[in-house]
Amino acid sequence: MGYSTVKEVKRCFTYADAKYVHDKTKPIRGRSPEVRPLGARRDVDAYSVRMSGENVEFVLYKTPVITYLPNGDVVVKTNGWSSISTHQFIQQVLDISCYGARRNSIMEARSAEGDVHKYIIPKDKGITMIHAGGNWRITQFNTIYEYRLNRKAANEVRKKYADFLNYIKGMVNLRSEMVEPSRWARRQKPYAAVVVGESELPQYARGGTIHALRIEFAELLRADQPEDTRHLSYNKAFGLAVRWALGMSQRNSVNFEQVKLPADEVLGLIDELLLRAHAQDILVWTELKVGQVPSGKYKGWMPERT
């Protein structure tokens, strides 16, 4: 299946058009339950049309992507399938721009004035629209939210742990050496790399999840630690960050004498672990503007919300 086959799918803007296509299309002989092709008959398993009560459903594989209601509404729903074939199907049937961005499905509807508006199709919900005056008009859509960083709160967290961060920065500077990248390396300019011995890395034994690592990392930065042993906890926190950078569950059983990691990446990972440990204090559940696509940057930092 692909662009050449989806071009055979009927284009329909109204309930009357969709109902006509259903009623005039002969079912595939010998199939039970009944199945009617929406495109070429040979592609019936990819594109089909069916009734659901009074509604007409245009189906991509087994997903009713486009539903026509008797009142004139057209509902578009992907059920989480943000794929090229889904977007091509919507574009072909509705003659509307549809594409993927950051694992989301985006539709563009043009107003009578010619303005283009972007709408995200939620993974488990639909968008309702009508076709009038030669244009699609969105009549019902879902507000999209995601976690966004409160930068002031994040800086307050960094300030609170300034002693630890300064200790780590000093350690990284002392243990870094300049590295010439190989020909095919991601970095093409010399960079500072931290040299860490395998024996310095703690074995991670709390289930191998970022949530568990975050808890252990936070425990190592407690303010009530004795002054004379605090550096030991800081060293272990540094080792946990490096272990995470290497792939904590995969590398626990791997033997190596030493590893070199870009210094800026190590510092970035430590900063991320610190902020993750205080995610509930620095992340804000934020309503996005129409057409704004979730970045997914802080996905997994907090329990999912709907």
Side-chain angles (χ1 to χ4, degrees), residues 14-269:
T14 66
Y15 177 83
D17 292 340
K19 187 68 163 60
Y20 178 85
V21 167
H22 175 272
D23 294 346
K24 293 299 181 180
T25 302
K26 294 181 179 180
I28 299 295
R29 185 180 301 174
R31 289 287 191 97
S32 181
E34 175 187 285
V35 58
R36 302 183 186 220
L38 187 55
R41 295 184 73 82
R42 66 177 179 275
D43 299 326
V44 66
D45 291 323
Y47 317 115
S48 60
V49 56
R50 70 191 185 194
M51 298 298 297
S52 177
E54 292 297 314
N55 299 337
V56 183
E57 295 181 338
F58 280 19
V59 180
L60 176 64
Y61 298 104
K62 296 182 179 181
T63 302
V65 176
I66 304 170
T67 302
Y68 299 84
L69 281 63
N71 66 358
D73 286 346
V74 178
V75 180
V76 179
K77 190 173 183 180
T78 66
N79 285 343
W81 295 102
S82 181
S83 62
I84 293 175
S85 59
T86 300
H87 303 148
Q88 288 178 341
F89 184 72
I90 294 170
Q91 287 185 133
Q92 171 61 24
V93 175
L94 302 179
D95 192 25
I96 191 171
S97 178
C98 185
Y99 53 90
R102 298 173 185 163
R103 299 184 180 181
N104 293 280
S105 294
I106 312 295
M107 281 198 321
E108 292 186 356
R110 187 177 297 276
S111 67
E113 293 76 22
D115 299 324
V116 175
H117 301 280
K118 298 178 181 179
Y119 297 88
I120 296 174
I121 308 174
K123 292 179 173 59
D124 57 347
K125 299 176 183 178
I127 283 183
T128 303
M129 54 190 185
I130 60 172
H131 194 263
N135 295 290
W136 286 105
R137 181 165 60 88
I138 306 298
T139 59
Q140 183 179 354
F141 62 93
N142 296 278
T143 304
I144 305 298
Y145 295 85
E146 78 163 347
Y147 282 109
R148 291 292 177 91
L149 182 69
N150 181 331
R151 297 188 180 279
K152 182 177 180 180
N155 287 332
E156 286 298 320
V157 169
R158 295 184 179 108
K159 184 178 179 180
K160 179 180 178 181
Y161 294 97
D163 182 61
F164 165 71
L165 292 175
N166 289 332
Y167 179 89
I168 293 300
K169 289 176 183 177
M171 175 191 292
V172 168
N173 288 335
L174 286 173
R175 304 180 63 160
S176 295
E177 61 182 44
M178 295 304 295
V179 173
E180 290 287 341
S182 63
R183 181 179 179 183
W184 305 110
R186 177 166 50 90
R187 297 177 181 234
Q188 287 300 302
K189 294 181 179 180
Y191 61 91
V194 183
V195 182
V196 182
E198 193 276 339
S199 60
E200 300 177 74
L201 302 184
Q203 293 299 308
Y204 193 65
R206 288 197 176 191
T209 67
I210 182 58
H211 177 69
L213 185 145
R214 183 181 66 184
I215 293 174
E216 185 167 354
F217 188 84
E219 290 176 354
L220 292 170
L221 306 186
R222 292 198 327 270
D224 58 353
Q225 299 179 73
E227 187 71 31
D228 57 342
T229 59
R230 186 174 299 174
H231 68 285
L232 298 177
S233 295
Y234 288 176
N235 287 339
K236 187 175 182 181
F238 171 78
L240 281 176
V242 173
R243 176 66 75 186
W244 183 36
L246 294 173
M248 51 193 174
S249 59
Q250 291 83 353
R251 292 296 187 97
N252 270 346
S253 59
V254 176
N255 294 319
F256 57 89
E257 292 185 1
Q258 63 176 216
V259 65
K260 297 180 181 180
L261 294 172
D264 57 346
E265 291 186 10
V266 172
L267 291 174
L269 286 171

